[in-house]
mmCIF file of all heavy atoms in Angstrom:
data_model
loop_
_atom_site.group_PDB
_atom_site.id
_atom_site.type_symbol
_atom_site.label_atom_id
_atom_site.label_comp_id
_atom_site.label_asym_id
_atom_site.label_seq_id
_atom_site.Cartn_x
_atom_site.Cartn_y
_atom_site.Cartn_z
ATOM 1 N N LYS O 1 100.627 145.582 175.075
ATOM 2 C CA LYS O 1 101.777 146.419 174.720
ATOM 3 C C LYS O 1 102.969 145.593 174.237
ATOM 4 O O LYS O 1 103.837 146.101 173.548
ATOM 5 C CB LYS O 1 102.220 147.269 175.914
ATOM 6 C CG LYS O 1 101.293 148.407 176.269
ATOM 7 C CD LYS O 1 101.956 149.362 177.246
ATOM 8 C CE LYS O 1 102.424 148.646 178.494
ATOM 9 N NZ LYS O 1 103.015 149.580 179.491
ATOM 10 N N GLU O 2 102.991 144.310 174.617
ATOM 11 C CA GLU O 2 104.171 143.491 174.363
ATOM 12 C C GLU O 2 103.988 142.457 173.267
ATOM 13 O O GLU O 2 104.919 141.704 172.973
ATOM 14 C CB GLU O 2 104.588 142.775 175.660
ATOM 15 C CG GLU O 2 104.847 143.701 176.835
ATOM 16 C CD GLU O 2 106.017 144.642 176.589
ATOM 17 O OE1 GLU O 2 106.844 144.348 175.706
ATOM 18 O OE2 GLU O 2 106.087 145.682 177.282
ATOM 19 N N VAL O 3 102.797 142.394 172.660
ATOM 20 C CA VAL O 3 102.557 141.370 171.636
ATOM 21 C C VAL O 3 101.974 141.994 170.369
ATOM 22 O O VAL O 3 101.402 143.081 170.394
ATOM 23 C CB VAL O 3 101.598 140.264 172.140
ATOM 24 C CG1 VAL O 3 102.149 139.607 173.397
ATOM 25 C CG2 VAL O 3 100.213 140.816 172.396
ATOM 26 N N LEU O 4 102.156 141.282 169.264
ATOM 27 C CA LEU O 4 101.534 141.659 167.991
ATOM 28 C C LEU O 4 100.721 140.475 167.514
ATOM 29 O O LEU O 4 101.244 139.366 167.385
ATOM 30 C CB LEU O 4 102.593 142.025 166.948
ATOM 31 C CG LEU O 4 102.043 142.431 165.569
ATOM 32 C CD1 LEU O 4 101.336 143.787 165.655
ATOM 33 C CD2 LEU O 4 103.152 142.491 164.522
ATOM 34 N N ARG O 5 99.448 140.691 167.265
ATOM 35 C CA ARG O 5 98.573 139.617 166.804
ATOM 36 C C ARG O 5 98.547 139.585 165.276
ATOM 37 O O ARG O 5 99.026 140.505 164.599
ATOM 38 C CB ARG O 5 97.150 139.831 167.341
ATOM 39 C CG ARG O 5 97.041 140.068 168.843
ATOM 40 C CD ARG O 5 97.333 138.861 169.690
ATOM 41 N NE ARG O 5 96.283 137.858 169.631
ATOM 42 C CZ ARG O 5 95.303 137.760 170.530
ATOM 43 N NH1 ARG O 5 95.242 138.597 171.554
ATOM 44 N NH2 ARG O 5 94.393 136.809 170.432
ATOM 45 N N PHE O 6 97.986 138.527 164.724
ATOM 46 C CA PHE O 6 97.833 138.354 163.279
ATOM 47 C C PHE O 6 96.356 138.120 163.015
ATOM 48 O O PHE O 6 95.741 137.236 163.611
ATOM 49 C CB PHE O 6 98.675 137.166 162.814
ATOM 50 C CG PHE O 6 98.673 136.948 161.327
ATOM 51 C CD1 PHE O 6 98.489 137.992 160.434
ATOM 52 C CD2 PHE O 6 98.889 135.670 160.819
ATOM 53 C CE1 PHE O 6 98.504 137.775 159.058
ATOM 54 C CE2 PHE O 6 98.916 135.435 159.443
ATOM 55 C CZ PHE O 6 98.723 136.485 158.565
ATOM 56 N N HIS O 7 95.773 138.913 162.138
ATOM 57 C CA HIS O 7 94.320 138.921 161.936
ATOM 58 C C HIS O 7 94.034 138.833 160.433
ATOM 59 O O HIS O 7 94.423 139.719 159.670
ATOM 60 C CB HIS O 7 93.758 140.223 162.503
ATOM 61 C CG HIS O 7 92.279 140.214 162.717
ATOM 62 N ND1 HIS O 7 91.573 141.346 163.047
ATOM 63 C CD2 HIS O 7 91.365 139.221 162.644
ATOM 64 C CE1 HIS O 7 90.297 141.047 163.164
ATOM 65 N NE2 HIS O 7 90.144 139.766 162.926
ATOM 66 N N VAL O 8 93.388 137.755 159.999
ATOM 67 C CA VAL O 8 93.058 137.562 158.585
ATOM 68 C C VAL O 8 91.544 137.461 158.443
ATOM 69 O O VAL O 8 90.911 136.612 159.070
ATOM 70 C CB VAL O 8 93.714 136.286 158.013
ATOM 71 C CG1 VAL O 8 93.466 136.206 156.506
ATOM 72 C CG2 VAL O 8 95.205 136.270 158.299
ATOM 73 N N LEU O 9 90.972 138.329 157.620
ATOM 74 C CA LEU O 9 89.523 138.336 157.400
ATOM 75 C C LEU O 9 89.212 137.821 156.003
ATOM 76 O O LEU O 9 89.742 138.328 154.999
ATOM 77 C CB LEU O 9 88.955 139.750 157.558
ATOM 78 C CG LEU O 9 88.907 140.309 158.977
ATOM 79 C CD1 LEU O 9 90.235 140.954 159.328
ATOM 80 C CD2 LEU O 9 87.803 141.328 159.116
ATOM 81 N N ALA O 10 88.353 136.812 155.922
ATOM 82 C CA ALA O 10 87.959 136.220 154.642
ATOM 83 C C ALA O 10 86.969 137.120 153.910
ATOM 84 O O ALA O 10 86.293 137.959 154.521
ATOM 85 C CB ALA O 10 87.341 134.851 154.869
ATOM 86 N N ASN O 11 86.854 136.919 152.608
ATOM 87 C CA ASN O 11 85.903 137.686 151.807
ATOM 88 C C ASN O 11 84.470 137.436 152.262
ATOM 89 O O ASN O 11 83.663 138.363 152.348
ATOM 90 C CB ASN O 11 86.057 137.302 150.332
ATOM 91 C CG ASN O 11 85.048 137.998 149.436
ATOM 92 O OD1 ASN O 11 85.076 139.215 149.265
ATOM 93 N ND2 ASN O 11 84.133 137.228 148.863
ATOM 94 N N SER O 12 84.157 136.178 152.565
ATOM 95 C CA SER O 12 82.802 135.818 153.000
ATOM 96 C C SER O 12 82.874 134.545 153.830
ATOM 97 O O SER O 12 83.960 134.000 154.063
ATOM 98 C CB SER O 12 81.881 135.603 151.791
ATOM 99 O OG SER O 12 82.183 134.363 151.150
ATOM 100 N N ASP O 13 81.714 134.058 154.249
ATOM 101 C CA ASP O 13 81.663 132.807 155.007
ATOM 102 C C ASP O 13 81.481 131.589 154.113
ATOM 103 O O ASP O 13 81.333 130.459 154.614
ATOM 104 C CB ASP O 13 80.523 132.855 156.031
ATOM 105 C CG ASP O 13 80.879 133.697 157.245
ATOM 106 O OD1 ASP O 13 82.085 133.857 157.518
ATOM 107 O OD2 ASP O 13 79.957 134.206 157.910
ATOM 108 N N GLU O 14 81.457 131.806 152.811
ATOM 109 C CA GLU O 14 81.381 130.668 151.892
ATOM 110 C C GLU O 14 82.590 129.763 152.110
ATOM 111 O O GLU O 14 83.689 130.225 152.429
ATOM 112 C CB GLU O 14 81.345 131.143 150.437
ATOM 113 C CG GLU O 14 80.104 131.935 150.062
ATOM 114 C CD GLU O 14 78.836 131.085 150.077
ATOM 115 O OE1 GLU O 14 78.951 129.848 150.015
ATOM 116 O OE2 GLU O 14 77.746 131.667 150.161
ATOM 117 N N ASP O 15 82.383 128.453 151.930
ATOM 118 C CA ASP O 15 83.438 127.488 152.210
ATOM 119 C C ASP O 15 84.706 127.785 151.417
ATOM 120 O O ASP O 15 85.818 127.711 151.962
ATOM 121 C CB ASP O 15 82.927 126.072 151.889
ATOM 122 C CG ASP O 15 83.933 125.007 152.271
ATOM 123 O OD1 ASP O 15 84.291 124.939 153.457
ATOM 124 O OD2 ASP O 15 84.373 124.257 151.380
ATOM 125 N N TYR O 16 84.558 128.151 150.132
ATOM 126 C CA TYR O 16 85.741 128.417 149.310
ATOM 127 C C TYR O 16 86.496 129.655 149.785
ATOM 128 O O TYR O 16 87.734 129.704 149.709
ATOM 129 C CB TYR O 16 85.363 128.538 147.828
ATOM 130 C CG TYR O 16 84.277 129.541 147.519
ATOM 131 C CD1 TYR O 16 84.543 130.899 147.395
ATOM 132 C CD2 TYR O 16 82.957 129.115 147.330
ATOM 133 C CE1 TYR O 16 83.542 131.820 147.107
ATOM 134 C CE2 TYR O 16 81.947 130.023 147.060
ATOM 135 C CZ TYR O 16 82.246 131.374 146.933
ATOM 136 O OH TYR O 16 81.239 132.283 146.650
ATOM 137 N N ASP O 17 85.790 130.651 150.295
ATOM 138 C CA ASP O 17 86.456 131.846 150.812
ATOM 139 C C ASP O 17 87.176 131.560 152.127
ATOM 140 O O ASP O 17 88.251 132.103 152.397
ATOM 141 C CB ASP O 17 85.454 132.984 151.011
ATOM 142 C CG ASP O 17 85.146 133.723 149.722
ATOM 143 O OD1 ASP O 17 85.992 133.683 148.796
ATOM 144 O OD2 ASP O 17 84.072 134.348 149.627
ATOM 145 N N GLN O 18 86.567 130.710 152.947
ATOM 146 C CA GLN O 18 87.210 130.340 154.202
ATOM 147 C C GLN O 18 88.484 129.517 153.963
ATOM 148 O O GLN O 18 89.503 129.706 154.633
ATOM 149 C CB GLN O 18 86.241 129.561 155.087
ATOM 150 C CG GLN O 18 85.113 130.398 155.670
ATOM 151 C CD GLN O 18 85.627 131.475 156.614
ATOM 152 O OE1 GLN O 18 86.402 131.196 157.530
ATOM 153 N NE2 GLN O 18 85.214 132.707 156.396
ATOM 154 N N LYS O 19 88.424 128.621 153.001
ATOM 155 C CA LYS O 19 89.625 127.845 152.658
ATOM 156 C C LYS O 19 90.707 128.747 152.072
ATOM 157 O O LYS O 19 91.899 128.564 152.352
ATOM 158 C CB LYS O 19 89.260 126.739 151.652
ATOM 159 C CG LYS O 19 88.433 125.615 152.258
ATOM 160 C CD LYS O 19 88.098 124.557 151.224
ATOM 161 C CE LYS O 19 87.309 123.421 151.850
ATOM 162 N NZ LYS O 19 86.923 122.381 150.845
ATOM 163 N N LEU O 20 90.297 129.712 151.276
ATOM 164 C CA LEU O 20 91.256 130.654 150.690
ATOM 165 C C LEU O 20 91.936 131.465 151.797
ATOM 166 O O LEU O 20 93.152 131.714 151.738
ATOM 167 C CB LEU O 20 90.534 131.586 149.716
ATOM 168 C CG LEU O 20 91.406 132.639 149.016
ATOM 169 C CD1 LEU O 20 92.449 131.958 148.136
ATOM 170 C CD2 LEU O 20 90.535 133.570 148.178
ATOM 171 N N LYS O 21 91.185 131.879 152.771
ATOM 172 C CA LYS O 21 91.738 132.625 153.910
ATOM 173 C C LYS O 21 92.869 131.843 154.570
ATOM 174 O O LYS O 21 93.934 132.409 154.882
ATOM 175 C CB LYS O 21 90.632 132.894 154.922
ATOM 176 C CG LYS O 21 91.088 133.480 156.251
ATOM 177 C CD LYS O 21 89.975 133.431 157.299
ATOM 178 C CE LYS O 21 89.684 132.008 157.738
ATOM 179 N NZ LYS O 21 88.623 131.949 158.778
ATOM 180 N N LEU O 22 92.655 130.543 154.761
ATOM 181 C CA LEU O 22 93.659 129.717 155.421
ATOM 182 C C LEU O 22 94.899 129.521 154.548
ATOM 183 O O LEU O 22 96.015 129.433 155.060
ATOM 184 C CB LEU O 22 93.058 128.363 155.800
ATOM 185 C CG LEU O 22 91.880 128.419 156.783
ATOM 186 C CD1 LEU O 22 91.377 127.011 157.095
ATOM 187 C CD2 LEU O 22 92.275 129.133 158.071
ATOM 188 N N LYS O 23 94.694 129.465 153.246
ATOM 189 C CA LYS O 23 95.843 129.350 152.338
ATOM 190 C C LYS O 23 96.694 130.625 152.380
ATOM 191 O O LYS O 23 97.937 130.563 152.356
ATOM 192 C CB LYS O 23 95.374 129.072 150.904
ATOM 193 C CG LYS O 23 94.803 127.675 150.699
ATOM 194 C CD LYS O 23 94.377 127.454 149.260
ATOM 195 C CE LYS O 23 93.799 126.055 149.057
ATOM 196 N NZ LYS O 23 94.812 124.990 149.251
ATOM 197 N N VAL O 24 96.029 131.772 152.431
ATOM 198 C CA VAL O 24 96.754 133.043 152.558
ATOM 199 C C VAL O 24 97.509 133.073 153.888
ATOM 200 O O VAL O 24 98.680 133.451 153.941
ATOM 201 C CB VAL O 24 95.774 134.242 152.464
ATOM 202 C CG1 VAL O 24 96.482 135.542 152.840
ATOM 203 C CG2 VAL O 24 95.201 134.339 151.052
ATOM 204 N N ARG O 25 96.832 132.678 154.947
ATOM 205 C CA ARG O 25 97.472 132.607 156.260
ATOM 206 C C ARG O 25 98.735 131.758 156.229
ATOM 207 O O ARG O 25 99.805 132.180 156.678
ATOM 208 C CB ARG O 25 96.485 132.023 157.271
ATOM 209 C CG ARG O 25 97.086 131.717 158.629
ATOM 210 C CD ARG O 25 96.293 130.661 159.368
ATOM 211 N NE ARG O 25 96.412 129.339 158.754
ATOM 212 C CZ ARG O 25 95.753 128.267 159.167
ATOM 213 N NH1 ARG O 25 94.893 128.363 160.171
ATOM 214 N NH2 ARG O 25 95.925 127.101 158.575
ATOM 215 N N ASP O 26 98.604 130.546 155.701
ATOM 216 C CA ASP O 26 99.739 129.619 155.689
ATOM 217 C C ASP O 26 100.921 130.185 154.916
ATOM 218 O O ASP O 26 102.076 130.052 155.340
ATOM 219 C CB ASP O 26 99.309 128.275 155.084
ATOM 220 C CG ASP O 26 98.347 127.513 155.985
ATOM 221 O OD1 ASP O 26 98.259 127.868 157.180
ATOM 222 O OD2 ASP O 26 97.693 126.583 155.490
ATOM 223 N N GLU O 27 100.638 130.806 153.776
ATOM 224 C CA GLU O 27 101.720 131.328 152.936
ATOM 225 C C GLU O 27 102.445 132.482 153.631
ATOM 226 O O GLU O 27 103.681 132.572 153.576
ATOM 227 C CB GLU O 27 101.168 131.782 151.587
ATOM 228 C CG GLU O 27 102.239 132.139 150.565
ATOM 229 C CD GLU O 27 103.139 130.975 150.220
ATOM 230 O OE1 GLU O 27 102.683 129.804 150.283
ATOM 231 O OE2 GLU O 27 104.324 131.220 149.880
ATOM 232 N N ILE O 28 101.694 133.344 154.283
ATOM 233 C CA ILE O 28 102.313 134.468 155.004
ATOM 234 C C ILE O 28 103.183 133.938 156.140
ATOM 235 O O ILE O 28 104.326 134.381 156.331
ATOM 236 C CB ILE O 28 101.241 135.426 155.562
ATOM 237 C CG1 ILE O 28 100.451 136.085 154.419
ATOM 238 C CG2 ILE O 28 101.878 136.485 156.461
ATOM 239 C CD1 ILE O 28 101.274 136.973 153.517
ATOM 240 N N LEU O 29 102.667 132.982 156.894
ATOM 241 C CA LEU O 29 103.434 132.424 158.014
ATOM 242 C C LEU O 29 104.686 131.713 157.527
ATOM 243 O O LEU O 29 105.773 131.865 158.104
ATOM 244 C CB LEU O 29 102.564 131.467 158.826
ATOM 245 C CG LEU O 29 101.401 132.087 159.600
ATOM 246 C CD1 LEU O 29 100.611 131.002 160.329
ATOM 247 C CD2 LEU O 29 101.901 133.119 160.598
ATOM 248 N N ASN O 30 104.562 130.923 156.477
ATOM 249 C CA ASN O 30 105.711 130.200 155.950
ATOM 250 C C ASN O 30 106.781 131.141 155.399
ATOM 251 O O ASN O 30 107.977 130.906 155.580
ATOM 252 C CB ASN O 30 105.269 129.240 154.839
ATOM 253 C CG ASN O 30 104.479 128.054 155.379
ATOM 254 O OD1 ASN O 30 104.665 127.657 156.526
ATOM 255 N ND2 ASN O 30 103.592 127.508 154.565
ATOM 256 N N LYS O 31 106.335 132.218 154.775
ATOM 257 C CA LYS O 31 107.294 133.147 154.154
ATOM 258 C C LYS O 31 108.057 133.957 155.191
ATOM 259 O O LYS O 31 109.257 134.222 155.012
ATOM 260 C CB LYS O 31 106.558 134.081 153.189
ATOM 261 C CG LYS O 31 107.491 135.060 152.484
ATOM 262 C CD LYS O 31 106.770 135.842 151.402
ATOM 263 C CE LYS O 31 107.746 136.787 150.695
ATOM 264 N NZ LYS O 31 107.088 137.516 149.578
ATOM 265 N N TYR O 32 107.384 134.360 156.264
ATOM 266 C CA TYR O 32 108.006 135.310 157.188
ATOM 267 C C TYR O 32 108.400 134.709 158.549
ATOM 268 O O TYR O 32 108.975 135.423 159.386
ATOM 269 C CB TYR O 32 107.057 136.492 157.423
ATOM 270 C CG TYR O 32 106.855 137.326 156.184
ATOM 271 C CD1 TYR O 32 105.644 137.292 155.494
ATOM 272 C CD2 TYR O 32 107.867 138.142 155.685
ATOM 273 C CE1 TYR O 32 105.458 138.056 154.344
ATOM 274 C CE2 TYR O 32 107.686 138.905 154.547
ATOM 275 C CZ TYR O 32 106.478 138.850 153.880
ATOM 276 O OH TYR O 32 106.297 139.603 152.746
ATOM 277 N N TYR O 33 108.133 133.442 158.752
ATOM 278 C CA TYR O 33 108.373 132.877 160.075
ATOM 279 C C TYR O 33 109.843 132.976 160.497
ATOM 280 O O TYR O 33 110.155 133.354 161.632
ATOM 281 C CB TYR O 33 107.908 131.422 160.121
ATOM 282 C CG TYR O 33 108.070 130.790 161.481
ATOM 283 C CD1 TYR O 33 107.330 131.249 162.574
ATOM 284 C CD2 TYR O 33 108.970 129.735 161.688
ATOM 285 C CE1 TYR O 33 107.469 130.681 163.828
ATOM 286 C CE2 TYR O 33 109.114 129.173 162.944
ATOM 287 C CZ TYR O 33 108.366 129.645 164.005
ATOM 288 O OH TYR O 33 108.514 129.094 165.242
ATOM 289 N N ASN O 34 110.758 132.630 159.611
ATOM 290 C CA ASN O 34 112.180 132.683 159.955
ATOM 291 C C ASN O 34 112.630 134.101 160.282
ATOM 292 O O ASN O 34 113.460 134.312 161.177
ATOM 293 C CB ASN O 34 113.028 132.113 158.816
ATOM 294 C CG ASN O 34 112.891 130.605 158.703
ATOM 295 O OD1 ASN O 34 112.641 129.924 159.698
ATOM 296 N ND2 ASN O 34 113.031 130.083 157.497
ATOM 297 N N GLU O 35 112.084 135.091 159.568
ATOM 298 C CA GLU O 35 112.428 136.489 159.850
ATOM 299 C C GLU O 35 111.868 136.920 161.204
ATOM 300 O O GLU O 35 112.491 137.679 161.941
ATOM 301 C CB GLU O 35 111.890 137.397 158.743
ATOM 302 C CG GLU O 35 112.556 137.199 157.396
ATOM 303 C CD GLU O 35 114.038 137.540 157.433
ATOM 304 O OE1 GLU O 35 114.409 138.468 158.176
ATOM 305 O OE2 GLU O 35 114.809 136.873 156.730
ATOM 306 N N LEU O 36 110.677 136.416 161.503
ATOM 307 C CA LEU O 36 110.046 136.792 162.779
ATOM 308 C C LEU O 36 110.854 136.304 163.968
ATOM 309 O O LEU O 36 110.905 136.959 165.016
ATOM 310 C CB LEU O 36 108.626 136.222 162.847
ATOM 311 C CG LEU O 36 107.591 136.851 161.916
ATOM 312 C CD1 LEU O 36 106.270 136.122 162.033
ATOM 313 C CD2 LEU O 36 107.417 138.317 162.225
ATOM 314 N N LYS O 37 111.499 135.146 163.815
ATOM 315 C CA LYS O 37 112.283 134.603 164.920
ATOM 316 C C LYS O 37 113.474 135.495 165.258
ATOM 317 O O LYS O 37 114.009 135.421 166.371
ATOM 318 C CB LYS O 37 112.755 133.189 164.591
ATOM 319 C CG LYS O 37 111.630 132.165 164.573
ATOM 320 C CD LYS O 37 112.156 130.738 164.599
ATOM 321 C CE LYS O 37 112.931 130.415 163.331
ATOM 322 N NZ LYS O 37 113.366 128.992 163.326
ATOM 323 N N LYS O 38 113.873 136.344 164.307
ATOM 324 C CA LYS O 38 115.003 137.240 164.543
ATOM 325 C C LYS O 38 114.588 138.508 165.299
ATOM 326 O O LYS O 38 115.445 139.204 165.834
ATOM 327 C CB LYS O 38 115.639 137.632 163.210
ATOM 328 C CG LYS O 38 116.186 136.459 162.414
ATOM 329 C CD LYS O 38 116.703 136.926 161.058
ATOM 330 C CE LYS O 38 117.162 135.747 160.211
ATOM 331 N NZ LYS O 38 117.613 136.187 158.860
ATOM 332 N N CYS O 39 113.293 138.801 165.302
ATOM 333 C CA CYS O 39 112.805 140.012 165.988
ATOM 334 C C CYS O 39 112.846 139.790 167.494
ATOM 335 O O CYS O 39 112.343 138.790 167.995
ATOM 336 C CB CYS O 39 111.377 140.332 165.541
ATOM 337 S SG CYS O 39 111.238 140.780 163.797
#
């Protein structure tokens, strides 16, 4: 009830899709991290 998780699902288990998933993750975290600290 007190937490919000972050869940990213890759297109497939292929190595390039898994790396892409992590790049999307990093960009989302970098873009919104400062805003999240205000919540």
Side-chain angles (χ1 to χ4, degrees):
K1 288 193 304 183
E2 304 296 340
V3 302
L4 180 70
R5 309 290 288 264
F6 184 28
H7 196 189
V8 186
L9 289 86
N11 177 67
S12 74
D13 283 336
E14 295 293 341
D15 185 59
Y16 54 82
D17 279 336
Q18 289 296 309
K19 289 180 178 178
L20 180 63
K21 171 192 70 179
L22 299 181
K23 289 181 180 294
V24 170
R25 172 204 69 184
D26 291 344
E27 189 61 30
I28 296 296
L29 293 179
N30 289 333
K31 181 172 181 177
Y32 293 108
Y33 183 65
N34 288 331
E35 293 297 326
L36 290 176
K37 290 195 295 184
K38 299 176 184 177
C39 295

